[in-house]
Amino acid sequence: MLDSEEGFAHTDESWMLPSWAMIWIILAEAPISVSVGNRRYPKLSTAILYGVTSRAMPVISNGGVTIAIDISPLGWARFFRESAETLRDRITPLEEVLPAELVEELVHRLYYSDRALEVKGILDDIFTRALPPEHRDEPLIADIMKIVTAKGTTDLRAAATQIGIQPLKLRRLSQRYFGFPPKILLMRARFLRVFLEMMISPDHAHEAVLTSVYFDRSHFLRDAKRFLGMTPRQFMDMNVEYLTAALRARRLVLGVPTPSLDVSPPAADILETR
């Protein structure tokens, strides 16, 4: 849950990093706009779904409360009939992919809550009641999650054999529930593992992470161009105070190293509320 002081004005762009899918409830009075690649969303509706993203996204807001609910690939299998590949790198009105009565209750109860300590109980109640039965592919989804978030995974054919499926089935399931082929997910995880450390570290501690993951800096810079659209330094020279503060706050709340937050969500989690 994100809030700002009354009278807060923020007309500059802030940035979001590539991540898993997310439900976003916007209780702000002023409009919020987002760009995802070439797609521009000038005024977001109250309840939206971010698909799995593969690039950084500029956001313009003017304060107010927003509530984000991360959707793991297991959560996607339970709640959404659409392929994650179809909705990747785009924003969709939530009522187009979830039952209208669920979305209406979610927005109504959050709007009339204290927008603070009551939020978690409301989300637990709504999503526990709405949670569909276990999906038949969940064991494989959990296995694929381990593959795409494990440090050092390079041989996808061997990884597929290890969990007992053919490489083509690994690719198909990955696109269906994770949004992208496993190779892209591995690249994204590798890049974010280093870049998040770079953002959060006050010194050069990230150098050790970089050299343990990449052959050389040029390789890292190519991935930065792919996932940020620019060099890491160019990104960090822009307005990332909001992003950095959110990363630090989440690290304190969860009690885990920040670089793991958007790279390796627990495979057992269906929904993560933040």
Side-chain angles (χ1 to χ4, degrees):
M1 186 178 65
L2 306 171
D3 199 356
S4 58
E5 294 181 358
E6 189 173 348
F8 172 83
H10 186 182
T11 55
D12 293 333
E13 287 183 337
S14 55
W15 288 78
M16 297 173 62
L17 289 173
S19 67
W20 300 114
M22 180 195 308
I23 292 173
W24 204 14
I25 306 300
I26 299 171
L27 304 178
E29 297 296 330
I32 295 178
S33 64
V34 177
S35 294
V36 186
N38 293 327
R39 296 187 178 95
R40 174 76 172 168
Y41 301 90
K43 185 178 180 180
L44 299 180
S45 56
T46 303
I48 60 172
L49 173 73
Y50 274 95
V52 181
T53 50
S54 65
R55 62 195 72 191
M57 298 163 286
V59 181
I60 298 178
S61 66
N62 293 280
V65 175
T66 61
I67 298 170
I69 308 163
D70 293 337
I71 308 294
S72 72
L74 285 170
W76 192 280
R78 292 272 188 116
F79 278 99
F80 301 104
R81 294 183 179 182
E82 293 80 358
S83 169
E85 181 183 25
T86 303
L87 299 181
R88 71 188 188 190
D89 282 329
R90 67 178 61 215
I91 293 173
T92 304
L94 193 58
E95 62 270 18
E96 292 185 9
V97 290
L98 286 180
E101 59 272 16
L102 188 156
V103 177
E104 183 179 355
E105 180 186 5
L106 181 63
V107 172
H108 178 84
R109 291 182 63 183
L110 290 175
Y111 183 86
Y112 288 102
S113 73
D114 65 357
R115 305 185 185 187
L117 298 180
E118 293 177 357
V119 169
K120 180 183 183 302
I122 291 171
L123 295 178
D124 285 346
D125 176 56
I126 292 175
F127 285 107
T128 299
R129 288 187 287 106
L131 187 66
E134 182 175 345
H135 194 281
R136 66 180 183 277
D137 289 333
E138 284 189 25
L140 284 175
I141 295 171
D143 285 338
I144 295 171
M145 176 65 85
K146 294 176 184 176
I147 290 174
V148 301
T149 59
K151 297 180 181 179
T153 301
T154 55
D155 189 339
L156 288 172
R157 183 174 294 275
T161 300
Q162 186 176 355
I163 63 175
I165 62 175
Q166 295 295 320
L168 286 178
K169 185 173 184 180
L170 171 63
R171 181 183 177 90
R172 179 175 60 80
L173 290 173
S174 179
Q175 290 173 295
R176 172 67 178 82
Y177 301 113
F178 293 71
F180 292 92
K183 182 177 179 180
I184 298 296
L185 296 173
L186 286 173
M187 291 170 60
R188 188 186 72 169
R190 176 184 61 192
F191 172 74
L192 288 177
R193 189 173 292 120
V194 175
F195 185 63
L196 286 172
E197 185 70 49
M198 180 181 293
M199 287 194 67
I200 215 75
S201 295
D203 49 30
H204 294 284
H206 61 273
E207 292 288 345
V209 180
L210 193 155
T211 55
S212 69
V213 173
Y214 284 95
F215 293 113
D216 52 48
R217 282 187 172 276
S218 63
H219 194 187
F220 173 63
L221 292 175
R222 283 196 298 271
D223 277 1
K225 183 68 174 178
R226 168 70 174 80
F227 296 110
L228 299 180
M230 64 191 80
T231 69
R233 180 52 55 194
Q234 288 171 330
F235 185 89
M236 293 171 68
D237 283 343
M238 296 190 300
N239 181 13
V240 293
E241 291 183 2
Y242 166 87
L243 174 60
T244 304
L247 291 172
R248 291 186 184 280
R250 199 171 186 199
R251 177 177 62 175
L252 291 172
V253 170
L254 297 181
V256 295
T258 300
S260 71
L261 295 180
D262 288 318
V263 177
S264 307
D269 284 358
I270 299 299
L271 295 167
E272 281 190 305
T273 304
R274 72 180 186 201

